[in-house]
Amino acid sequence: MPSDHLSVVPPLLHAGCAGELENSGRTLHATSSPLNETHAVYPASLLENLSAEHHVFDPDDQLVYFVSSEALPLSERRLFIGDTSIIFAAWQNLLRSVTQNGTDLLQDESSQRVMRKLAIDYVNFAKECWVHTAQSSSEARQVPSDHYRALYTCLSLYAILYVPEYGLENAPVGDDLMEWLNIHFIEPSTEEGNYLSTLEHPWADETFWPYLIRATLRGLNKSATFFLGSLSSHASENLRRLSRILIPLLNTQPKLQAYEAEREFAYASHRWKEKVKALRLDLDSVPESDRRDDYEDWWDRFSDIVGILEGRGEIIQKVCEELGADWKEVCVAWGVFVDSRLRRQDLPDVISQVLEDMPPDPTNLEDMIHSALLTGNPLNALDHAAKLDPWLSAHLADMMEPLALVDKDPNEE
């Protein structure tokens, strides 16, 4: 509960000494923060009541106290802010050095690498705080561990989109975003896979095909091929045969990191897609009488998997809706299956198109920050970040400004 009485230590004015302050020609002033319940309190000359142009203020003549009616940060929060100040100081040193040397920050390789390194430092520190608070007693925490998890996801997405590895600014971004999604939003769950692996006939369970489709959508090819292998004992010879074809297709899906040049990756992707087309023709030739088993329409489920690999956006969106996935999964899968050469600068158009049908959750600040970053709206990201945690907004702005993502001068509007 906010307090209507605030005390400062040491006291600005001892009890019963108000007359002394008045006789000295001074009074107490308080200035409120526009962001929260924080106030700056300081003794100042009565001339402060006059126009600022008539008053000359000596910054050395008084102390300024910062007080808040909100709960004071506990040791865990103070440690977080204090330790990340080391990264902040290193960032400021970089900017000073660049200014003094007349270096073009956006063109200098060394500076770019340092910027990325410091951004990753923020990411790693947020991760450490999340893990630490998740393992500590909830009674000892002022901020829930999930709060640090949200900081972790937002900072890591920022690093991927806005401070990529030097020389890869224009490289396809799909695989990086898929890795981000799989790290921070784990689906399908390990528990689901463990359960299905205990079954003699896993396809008889209602969770089998959703698990297999989700694993394919997330690029979790080891899990997907494991359960495709279990279909070797399925009653349908057509399903057994198609599964044998699909397994090596999943295992050989081209990844950008495996190629020295993007054109090699593009050529390999084209050839791989040709094999997927051949699988589609094979699948379509299965007679209607053999498209169902005793449990469901396996052909329709298998067709969804092939549709994902074909890069059919409408199929990806359909299966995501059926699986209860959100807009992020559709957008990330788009950069892997629909357009494997999707670049950072092309993301806003794709994301905006998906958001028309699957908007972000307006009650979830983390989700709103993600959508703003991915649609290339850094100011909106900062606005939502300030509501989630002023620390996040301040440090994102600190990293965005040198990259000309936000204006250095404040916007009076």
Side-chain angles (χ1 to χ4, degrees):
M1 291 289 291
S3 171
D4 59 0
H5 178 82
L6 300 171
S7 299
V8 295
V9 179
L12 275 166
L13 182 66
H14 291 282
C17 297
E20 295 180 9
L21 183 68
E22 183 179 359
N23 292 335
S24 69
R26 297 183 302 161
T27 186
L28 292 181
H29 282 266
T31 302
S32 300
S33 167
L35 295 177
N36 51 36
E37 295 299 320
T38 301
H39 311 271
V41 181
Y42 53 95
S45 169
L46 290 171
L47 291 176
E48 285 286 333
N49 295 322
L50 301 178
S51 172
E53 65 181 0
H54 298 298
H55 175 67
V56 178
F57 176 70
D58 183 356
D60 297 325
D61 66 357
Q62 297 295 349
L63 294 176
V64 177
Y65 289 76
F66 291 95
V67 297
S68 176
S69 57
E70 298 177 340
L72 294 175
L74 298 180
S75 59
E76 153 258 313
R77 181 67 173 174
R78 295 198 303 270
L79 180 65
F80 173 78
I81 295 173
D83 284 0
T84 52
S85 67
I86 299 173
I87 307 173
F88 172 77
W91 185 271
Q92 296 305 309
N93 288 335
L94 169 65
L95 297 184
R96 278 193 296 271
S97 175
V98 167
T99 302
Q100 292 170 0
N101 297 330
T103 305
D104 185 346
L105 186 65
L106 300 180
Q107 301 296 326
D108 182 60
E109 177 178 350
S110 176
S111 299
Q112 290 278 322
R113 292 189 184 279
V114 174
M115 280 199 301
R116 174 170 172 78
K117 189 266 182 189
L118 293 175
I120 297 300
D121 285 346
Y122 278 128
V123 172
N124 291 336
F125 197 83
K127 176 183 178 181
E128 290 175 8
C129 285
W130 167 49
V131 172
H132 173 74
T133 53
Q135 295 173 346
S136 63
S137 170
S138 59
E139 296 179 357
R141 295 198 302 262
Q142 184 177 30
V143 179
S145 63
D146 192 64
H147 181 81
Y148 291 108
R149 181 202 58 77
L151 299 185
Y152 176 32
T153 70
C154 295
L155 287 166
S156 59
L157 182 59
Y158 171 81
I160 289 171
L161 295 176
Y162 295 98
V163 281
E165 290 186 31
Y166 184 81
L168 298 180
E169 300 85 356
N170 296 315
V173 72
D175 287 343
D176 289 340
L177 290 176
M178 183 63 78
E179 182 181 18
W180 172 81
L181 188 70
N182 284 331
I183 288 174
H184 298 287
F185 303 94
I186 299 174
E187 292 289 352
S189 70
T190 303
E191 291 75 17
E192 289 177 275
N194 290 341
Y195 165 71
L196 288 172
S197 65
T198 65
L199 304 179
E200 183 178 1
H201 301 303
W203 62 83
D205 191 272
E206 63 180 4
T207 64
F208 174 77
W209 285 104
Y211 179 94
L212 189 53
I213 292 171
R214 195 68 170 271
T216 303
L217 190 67
R218 290 295 194 96
L220 303 175
N221 294 336
K222 288 185 178 181
S223 296
T225 55
F226 174 83
F227 286 106
L228 283 170
S230 72
L231 292 170
S232 61
S233 56
H234 192 276
S236 170
E237 192 280 329
N238 279 308
L239 179 55
R240 296 197 302 270
R241 175 176 55 80
L242 291 168
S243 298
R244 288 195 298 270
I245 298 173
L246 180 55
I247 288 173
L249 265 180
L250 290 177
N251 286 332
T252 57
Q253 182 179 3
K255 300 294 182 183
L256 178 64
Q257 295 87 342
Y259 298 87
E260 293 185 1
E262 186 183 337
R263 64 179 179 275
E264 295 176 2
F265 167 69
Y267 178 69
S269 297
H270 175 75
R271 295 199 49 163
W272 183 80
K273 281 289 182 72
E274 291 298 318
K275 295 178 182 179
V276 175
K277 289 181 182 178
L279 176 58
R280 167 62 70 185
L281 293 174
D282 205 349
L283 178 63
D284 289 345
S285 69
V286 174
E288 292 284 346
S289 59
D290 191 28
R291 294 187 176 188
R292 293 188 61 89
D293 55 21
D294 295 336
Y295 311 101
E296 63 176 299
D297 188 334
W298 65 260
W299 187 95
D300 190 55
R301 298 288 202 170
F302 201 98
S303 179
D304 282 345
I305 292 176
V306 177
I308 293 170
L309 302 185
E310 289 175 312
R312 295 170 60 185
E314 72 279 7
I315 296 297
I316 290 174
Q317 183 163 332
K318 177 182 82 75
V319 299
C320 283
E321 291 173 345
E322 292 174 350
L323 293 169
D326 66 6
W327 64 274
K328 292 190 292 294
E329 197 140 355
V330 178
C331 295
V332 172
W334 196 285
V336 174
F337 299 105
V338 181
D339 182 3
S340 60
R341 301 182 73 182
L342 185 69
R343 304 176 194 284
R344 288 166 176 81
Q345 59 267 33
D346 302 325
L347 280 171
D349 291 338
V350 173
I351 307 297
S352 298
Q353 179 182 338
V354 172
L355 292 180
E356 290 181 4
D357 297 321
M358 302 177 72
D361 181 357
T363 66
N364 186 323
L365 291 172
E366 178 188 4
D367 204 39
M368 295 301 290
I369 295 169
H370 294 161
S371 66
L373 289 174
L374 282 161
T375 53
N377 289 306
L379 283 177
N380 285 349
L382 293 180
D383 182 48
H384 296 304
K387 298 171 185 175
L388 176 65
D389 191 325
W391 177 94
L392 176 62
S393 181
H395 287 76
L396 280 178
D398 191 50
M399 291 187 286
M400 289 178 176
E401 183 185 307
L403 297 176
L405 297 174
V406 294
D407 292 333
K408 181 177 182 180
D409 297 326
N411 188 338
E412 297 298 335
E413 297 180 1

